[in-house]
Amino acid sequence: MSLKTKKIGILTGGGDCPGLNAVIRGVAKSAINVWGMEVIGIEDGFEGFVESKKIDLDENSVSGILSIGGTILGSSNKADPFRYPVTMPDGKLNISDASKQVLFNYEKWELDAVVAIGGDGTMNIAKKLGDMGMNIVGVPKTIDNDLQGTDVTFGFMTAVDIATEAIDRLHTTASSHHRVMVIEVMGRYAGWIALHAGVAGGGDIILIPEIPFQWEAVYDKVRSRSRKGKRFSIVVVAEGAHAEKEELVVKGKDATRTDPKRLGGVGNYVAQKITENTGLETRVTVLGHLQRGGSPSAFDRILSTRFGTEASRLINMDIFGKMVALKGQDIVDVPVEEAIKGLKLVPRDCNLVLSAKSVGTCFGVND
Ligand code: F6P
C-alpha cells in the first residue's frame, strides 16, 4: 500500500437509475474522510474521459444528494471509448477508437484509480481499460438487474416499487371499467422487473423474454377470468417479451449506442391482439422512464451506500479489476470478468416463477 495521497475519479455510465448519487456520495465521503483521498467526478460517463470534462468533488459537493434521483455527474450510453461516435461537419457519423485519449487523461489527471458505476456496457469498457493498465473498480447499476456476479444491482428495487405502484393503480381503474389493462415495463432482454412487479402487484399474466409466450394461452387466461365473473385482467409485459417464433418488438436503432436496439412497443401489440381475438376492451400503459427517475427507495439508498463505501475501501487496499457485489446479505467483490460473462436472465423454473404459477399467474404458456 503506498503512502502517497491517492486521487480517484468517479464516473456514471449508461442509462441513469435511482441510487447513482447515493453511490457517488458513498464513494466520495468515505474516500475523503476515511481514507484521505482526493476525488474528482468525470462528467457524462466515458464521454468526459474522452472530451476532458471533470469536476473536483469535496464533501460539500456530495452532501444532500443521497435521496436525489439521476446523477450529479451526468451520464451517457453513447460514449463507448472503443467505438466512440463523432458526428462530422458533413453530418456523417464517424466511429473510432478513443481509448488512448482516456488513458491520456487518466495520466494527465494523475489518477490512481477510477470507480466506474454502470451496467454491462460500462463493465465491459472497464475490463478493457483495466487490461490497458487503468486501475478500475466497478459498481453494478441498472434497473434491469441483468448483471452477473451480484444478486442484485442498485436501482432495480426502486424500479420494481414504481412498477408495483402503477399496477396497483391500474387494478382499481381496470375493475371499474371491466377492462384488460396491459402494462409494459422496462428490463431490456431480462424479465426481472416484470416478474417482481407482476408478482408484487398481483398481475394475472406476466410475459417475460425468458419464456416466449403462446398467444392462445394468453387469450385463454383472460377469457377464463371473464367466465369466472372476474371482469378485468392485468397483463404485465416486459419490453423484451415476445411470442414463440416471433422476434422481439424494436422501436428503433441507434448506431451511436453501445446497444443499438431500442426496445418498446410490445405492450400495444399484445393489447391489440387480445382485443382482436377475445373481443375484450384493452388499454395500455407504457411505464417508460418513470421507472428510472426520482428518488431511490430505502433499499437502494442502503445498497448504494454499501457499494460506494466498499469501492473506496478496495481502492485503499490497492485491489483493482473488481466489481463490488451483493451476495446474500454480504457486500463482496468479484472479478469484473464475472459481471460480463453474459446477461443474468430469469431462470424459467426459478422459485419466484413457480411461486407465481402456484397462485394462478399465467406466463403465457400451458405448462
Ligand atoms: O438499461 C436500462 C434501460 O432503462 C432499459 O430497461 C431500457 O430498454 C433502456 O435503458 C432505455 O434506454 P434509453 O433511456 O436510452 O431509451
Side-chain angles (χ1 to χ4, degrees), residues 15-21 69-71 141-143 154-156 291-294:
D16 70 343
C17 88
L20 283 167
N21 283 326
T71 160
K141 161 240 75 165
T142 169
I143 62 163
F154 77 85
F156 168 63
Q291 292 158 99
R292 283 194 356 211

Side-chain angles (χ1 to χ4, degrees), residues 11-14 43-51 53 75-86 96 98-99 102 121-122 125 129 255-259:
L11 68 81
T12 53
E43 295 176 290
D44 301 330
F46 287 101
E47 185 179 310
F49 243 142
V50 177
E51 314 279 349
K53 297 187 285 179
S75 193
S76 170
N77 52 14
K78 303 180 178 197
D80 179 347
F82 293 92
R83 44 183 311 278
Y84 196 73
V86 177
S96 63
S99 57
V102 173
T122 301
I125 296 166
L129 290 171
T256 62
R257 295 162 57 109
T258 311
D259 176 1

Side-chain angles (χ1 to χ4, degrees), residues 77 142-144 186-188 239 257 262 289 292:
N77 52 14
T142 169
I143 62 163
D144 305 335
M186 283 183 166
R188 243 170 25 134
E239 63 182 354
R257 295 162 57 109
R262 288 184 59 219
H289 291 81
R292 283 194 356 211

Side-chain angles (χ1 to χ4, degrees), residues 174-204:
S175 77
S176 310
H177 289 274
H178 320 304
R179 285 170 171 159
V180 178
M181 292 299 221
V182 178
I183 174 166
E184 179 185 307
V185 298
M186 283 183 166
R188 243 170 25 134
Y189 309 108
W192 295 109
I193 299 176
L195 174 63
H196 281 251
V199 171
D204 305 299

Side-chain angles (χ1 to χ4, degrees), residues 17-23 66-67 140-143 145 152-162 291 294-308 326:
C17 88
L20 283 167
N21 283 326
V23 177
L66 172 65
S67 60
K141 161 240 75 165
T142 169
I143 62 163
N145 196 34
V152 69
T153 51
F154 77 85
F156 168 63
M157 286 309 296
T158 304
V160 169
D161 288 344
I162 294 166
Q291 292 158 99
S295 199
S297 65
F299 178 92
D300 275 328
R301 294 180 200 187
I302 294 165
L303 184 62
S304 300
T305 301
R306 294 180 78 194
F307 277 166
L326 183 73

Side-chain angles (χ1 to χ4, degrees), residues 7-38:
K7 187 173 180 192
I8 67 169
I10 308 175
L11 68 81
T12 53
D16 70 343
C17 88
L20 283 167
N21 283 326
V23 177
I24 295 168
R25 170 181 177 270
V27 175
K29 282 203 171 190
S30 58
I32 296 166
N33 294 332
V34 182
W35 310 117
M37 298 175 188
E38 275 180 61

